Amino acid sequence: MTLSSVHIIGVGGYLPERIMTNADLEALVDTTDEWIAERTGIRQRHIIAEDQMTSDLAVEAAKMALLDAGITIDDIDALVVATTTPDMIFPSTATVVQSKLGGKEFPAWDVQAVCSGFVYGLAHLEGMMRAGMYKRVLMIGAESMSRIVDWTDRGTCILFGDGAGAVVLEAGGPDAENGMVGSILHADGSYRELLKAHHTHPKLSPEMHHQKIDFRIDSAGTAAVEMKGNEVFRIAVTKLGSVVKEILAKHELTDSDIDWLVPHQANIRIIQATAKKLKMDMDRVALTVATHGNTSSASVPLALNDLYRSGKLEKGQLILLEAFAGGFAWGANLLRWSK
Ligand code: COA
């Protein structure tokens, strides 16, 4: 069997209108713009509107990616949403997105690997599409993390933001030189207590969510991200450093072969540590953490969208995507840009 090449043929992103700055957070918790910017690199984040759901963010990003690919939803034969903040426990957010986009009967499912969801989804789709299972797939990362953040916990609420990023993947075509090179995924559930959220958040209505932000209602007892920040930080730096080396070695490539690093945007210091490990200048790293914060599974496709829209990407360039997440689950994808 000849394996197909797999290409990104469309990219899109969407951020909700409302911006919450670090100064806004100073009014909510005992923190300062200076502390947040210095420890995380974050200056602001976007917050989902009361009448929006994760699927709505996903739909907007998907529409942009379809437009960019020059195709419509009728050309798609599978749809995957990576999300930690699904509209409901079930059905999957992917089926909601399919319906909102007017898609018909193709398979649609969610991937849950928290902040690594997009990297996980891309890895699985790469394998499926190489084997001929699907021709064109919408892969979306979409999150409303602000709905599961404890807005009284200064150690976590400063970190997260909402948004969605999407790509259209296509198998085959004449450009066999470019496209996905490969992926590596890892998980170690023995670390699960260090970063988690219990699963009561669907009980929170969007109205309650906004009351929590605006009136500081204590969200104890409802779903909230819990994190041992400095331990997560330390392990993230180590695991990301090793997975980027592992994927390069697997494909007989070296640091200097990489043109762009598109990292998960959790903390500028984690990103700098990975770039240093790869001996990469920061001007070859896609950075959105300052303006988006950590948008979990949306962060990698949003950063890719940002880099793509900047006009800096050139056909044939080697791009390394990486992410680290609760679980812990982490991984990396390598691809040669095809557009
Ligand atoms: N504003 C001001 N002070 C804060 C604060 C805030 N928002 N959050 C925590 N602090 C305080 C702590 O209470 C602590 O005070 P103490 O020394 O008096 O006890 C001090 O700052 C240091 O806290 P610590 O948690 O050790 O800070 P840190 O340098 O590790 O930075 C994070 C905290 C959360 C920014 C950092 O650990 C981090 O980014 N971790 C990884 C997060 C991550 O990537 N998560 C998602 C993975 S997908």
Side-chain angles (χ1 to χ4, degrees):
M1 185 174 77
T2 316
L3 294 178
S4 290
S5 54
V6 177
H7 307 270
I8 290 178
I9 62 161
V11 192
Y14 175 79
L15 293 158
E17 234 169 79
R18 179 176 174 183
I19 290 174
M20 182 183 270
T21 63
N22 291 351
D24 296 330
L25 276 165
E26 286 177 6
L28 294 182
V29 288
D30 182 15
T31 192
T32 60
D33 171 44
E34 196 189 358
W35 192 96
I36 300 170
E38 194 185 300
R39 300 286 182 117
T40 71
I42 300 167
R43 292 275 181 193
Q44 63 167 57
R45 68 290 289 143
H46 290 252
I47 304 288
I48 192 166
E50 274 187 49
D51 61 357
Q52 284 179 315
M53 298 297 283
T54 296
S55 61
D56 297 312
L57 313 188
V59 163
E60 293 307 316
K63 281 182 184 167
M64 191 194 269
L66 287 170
L67 189 70
D68 185 45
I71 61 169
T72 72
I73 192 67
D74 297 331
D75 301 307
I76 290 295
D77 53 15
L79 185 154
V80 179
V81 175
T83 188
T84 309
T85 45
D87 286 14
M88 292 171 279
I89 292 174
F90 71 85
S92 69
T93 301
T95 56
V96 180
V97 173
Q98 180 203 44
S99 163
K100 287 182 177 175
L101 287 170
K104 292 273 181 286
E105 293 209 355
F106 55 73
W109 69 96
D110 286 2
V111 171
Q112 164 55 303
V114 212
C115 304
S116 296
F118 186 83
V119 167
Y120 259 63
L122 203 56
H124 293 150
L125 287 171
E126 179 197 345
M128 291 170 165
M129 295 176 78
R130 276 196 198 286
M133 202 161 169
Y134 305 114
K135 174 76 179 163
R136 289 197 197 91
V137 180
L138 253 173
M139 172 72 226
I140 307 165
E143 301 283 9
S144 43
M145 291 302 284
S146 68
R147 290 198 173 136
I148 62 162
V149 161
D150 178 352
W151 288 97
T152 64
D153 176 13
R154 68 178 183 171
T156 52
C157 75
I158 57 152
L159 298 172
F160 295 95
D162 304 329
V167 297
V168 178
L169 297 167
E170 185 176 72
D175 183 17
E177 294 292 294
N178 294 318
M180 296 292 300
V181 176
S183 302
I184 288 185
L185 303 177
H186 289 290
D188 186 342
S190 67
Y191 290 113
R192 66 191 179 280
E193 292 300 319
L194 296 182
L195 179 52
K196 61 181 181 182
H198 289 282
H199 103 120
T200 47
H201 78 273
K203 288 181 186 164
L204 281 182
S205 67
E207 289 80 0
M208 283 169 72
H209 157 70
H210 276 268
Q211 284 169 355
K212 276 199 306 177
I213 298 179
D214 295 329
F215 305 110
R216 295 193 60 197
I217 291 176
D218 189 339
S219 48
T222 60
V225 175
E226 296 168 48
M227 180 174 70
K228 297 206 165 57
N230 42 23
E231 287 177 63
V232 175
F233 185 99
R234 191 172 44 78
I235 300 163
V237 167
T238 309
K239 299 296 187 196
L240 285 171
S242 66
V243 77
V244 294
K245 290 289 184 184
E246 185 185 355
I247 197 165
L248 289 176
K250 183 178 172 188
H251 296 283
E252 295 174 354
L253 294 160
T254 63
D255 301 340
S256 58
D257 293 317
I258 307 169
D259 293 295
W260 296 101
L261 176 65
V262 182
H264 172 46
Q265 311 281 319
N267 184 317
I268 188 73
R269 292 185 294 139
I270 298 176
I271 297 171
Q272 284 164 341
T274 309
K276 194 173 167 198
K277 188 96 181 176
L278 293 167
K279 302 183 200 75
M280 289 184 78
D281 293 335
M282 288 303 283
D283 59 6
R284 288 161 62 208
V285 181
L287 285 178
T288 54
V289 66
T291 49
H292 301 181
N294 180 349
T295 57
S296 191
S297 69
S299 117
V300 169
L302 272 170
L304 181 66
N305 183 54
D306 214 63
L307 177 62
Y308 170 58
R309 306 268 158 194
S310 75
K312 292 179 188 161
L313 280 179
E314 289 170 26
K315 193 170 180 153
Q317 285 186 329
L318 189 66
I319 306 176
L320 177 56
L321 315 182
E322 48 88 333
F324 184 83
F328 292 140
W330 67 101
N333 318 106
L334 258 184
L335 59 104
R336 287 197 186 278
W337 195 240
S338 320
K339 279 176 70 71

